[in-house]
Amino acid sequence: MPVPSDHSGSAHSGSAAHSPGEVLALISSGAVTTRADIARITGLARSTVSQRVDALIAHGLVDESAPAPGDSTGGRPPRRLQLRTAGHLVAGVDLGASHCAVALTDIAGAMLATHKEPLSIADGPESVLRRVERALQALLKETGRDPRTLRSIGVGVPGPVEFSTGRPIDPPIMPGWHQYPIPDFFASRFGVRALVDNDVNVMALAEQRRAFPDTRYLLYIKVGTGIGCGIVADGRLHRGAQGSAGDIGHIQVGDQTEPCRCGNTGCLEAVAGGAALAAKLAGLGLDAASGSDVVRLVTSGNRDAVRMVREAGRAVGEVLAGLVNFFNPDTVVLGGALAAVHDQLLAGVREAVYRRSHPLATRVLRIEPSRTGENAAVIGAGILAAEQAMSPSQVDRRLARAMA
């Protein structure tokens, strides 16, 4: 798994990579595979490269193996460097309105074990997080892994988050969670740092890293009970000044007047969200109480449901057209519960976007359904944890503590 540098420069640029953490970033990204590669790219002296690499090997972060047969082109073949994944685990946690999913992975992203169960986020933080704790402990036991090998935990939640503190801020469907210190809960039980983010942000991260790695500018639109947008700009998540970037569910759609839970009217969520569509279908006498019921009716061929989902797609597309003109992404991904009927949803979205966006903004634009599907949030939370645990600054701090 490539590990983005967490400083202003880049370990891949012409500036020297001075620290072991920056050298590890080069190795984990695949930019280098030998000590000679490191010296050539960074400009470091061979003796300094050896010090860096030897420290990483000694602390179990890098393996140096004998060259494969046929690698030699004459002379003594170099030994190959690679990230050591054994003994370094991270956990991804996806908390939804009515479910939780926990995944245990190694730092390269290989899935070791997963657990899913229904729950209500409205039960409050203590009850919900204790269930997550039990699930993670069970996964560690199931895989025979020492809890001390856990390096970081990533958590996605269905509400606004102040990313710098990991605390939810006035989350509308999470009663009792406002300002709750989620990172402290995990730190006190597992002794590692936990990073908490809005679920649509970690979904966007999963999609960009796993499905569209060559995409630098991506929008991930989650159309579920509510509607949100995750933003990847120049390969990095963009959260805004306080962590609330991407809250498109409360942008007004045309002259719509449907009341929204936020207190305003005509919001995209109130017009095209899964809960809104279910309420409209229920008003027609159909059995619908949630977005999943809308999906069921569409897949069974109900004409009213098909029509409403396509109209919802147009409403999403109307808002998205403004985002495309403003942000100029090269990829837009639709995920969430209603993306399960993406043929109808995408048709409406594409119709509105290509009609209302500037031709230059749509010249190379692709609008596609999610490729990570229902696992997007738990995968993205794991990636968030792994990138934090293996960031150059974090690795350097860990080595400094070990050598103190």
Side-chain angles (χ1 to χ4, degrees), residues 84-126:
R84 187 173 192 268
T85 58
H88 302 285
L89 307 179
V90 298
V93 179
D94 165 29
L95 293 178
S98 58
H99 76 275
C100 85
V102 183
L104 191 64
T105 76
D106 67 24
I107 53 173
M111 197 77 73
L112 303 177
T114 61
H115 170 86
K116 295 182 181 179
E117 65 178 89
L119 56 70
S120 173
I121 199 75
D123 288 343
E126 291 293 336

Side-chain angles (χ1 to χ4, degrees), residues 217-239:
Y217 296 89
L218 177 145
L219 296 178
Y220 181 98
I221 311 297
K222 177 191 175 187
V223 187
T225 300
I227 298 176
C229 177
I231 305 165
V232 176
D234 196 23
R236 296 176 179 271
L237 274 176
H238 171 72
R239 300 181 176 91

Side-chain angles (χ1 to χ4, degrees), residues 247-385:
D247 187 12
I248 66 170
H250 301 287
I251 294 176
Q252 185 170 11
V253 181
D255 57 359
Q256 299 291 329
T257 59
E258 287 90 336
C260 181
R261 62 182 176 177
C262 72
N264 291 318
T265 60
C267 294
L268 179 61
E269 180 178 302
V271 173
L277 298 185
K280 292 176 185 177
L281 290 167
L284 297 177
L286 296 169
D287 180 18
S290 66
S292 59
D293 292 326
V294 177
V295 171
R296 173 178 51 78
L297 289 168
V298 171
T299 54
S300 67
N302 182 275
R303 292 184 179 181
D304 289 315
V306 170
R307 172 180 56 81
M308 286 188 186
V309 168
R310 183 150 188 156
E311 289 174 354
R314 293 191 190 100
V316 172
E318 184 176 329
V319 170
L320 184 55
L323 302 181
V324 168
N325 284 330
F326 176 77
F327 182 63
N328 189 203
D330 48 20
T331 304
V332 171
V333 178
L334 263 68
L338 291 190
V341 287
H342 56 74
D343 287 344
Q344 292 81 5
L345 190 67
L346 277 172
V349 169
R350 286 170 173 154
E351 177 185 333
V353 168
Y354 288 110
R355 184 181 72 247
R356 298 180 63 90
S357 299
H358 192 280
L360 181 59
T362 58
R363 179 181 294 174
V364 298
L365 178 67
R366 53 185 173 185
I367 304 175
E368 306 209 5
S370 169
R371 296 180 184 177
T372 54
E374 64 180 13
N375 293 319
V378 74
I379 291 171
I383 292 171
L384 185 70

Side-chain angles (χ1 to χ4, degrees), residues 66-78 80:
D71 278 357
S72 178
T73 56
R76 188 176 185 180
R80 303 185 69 83

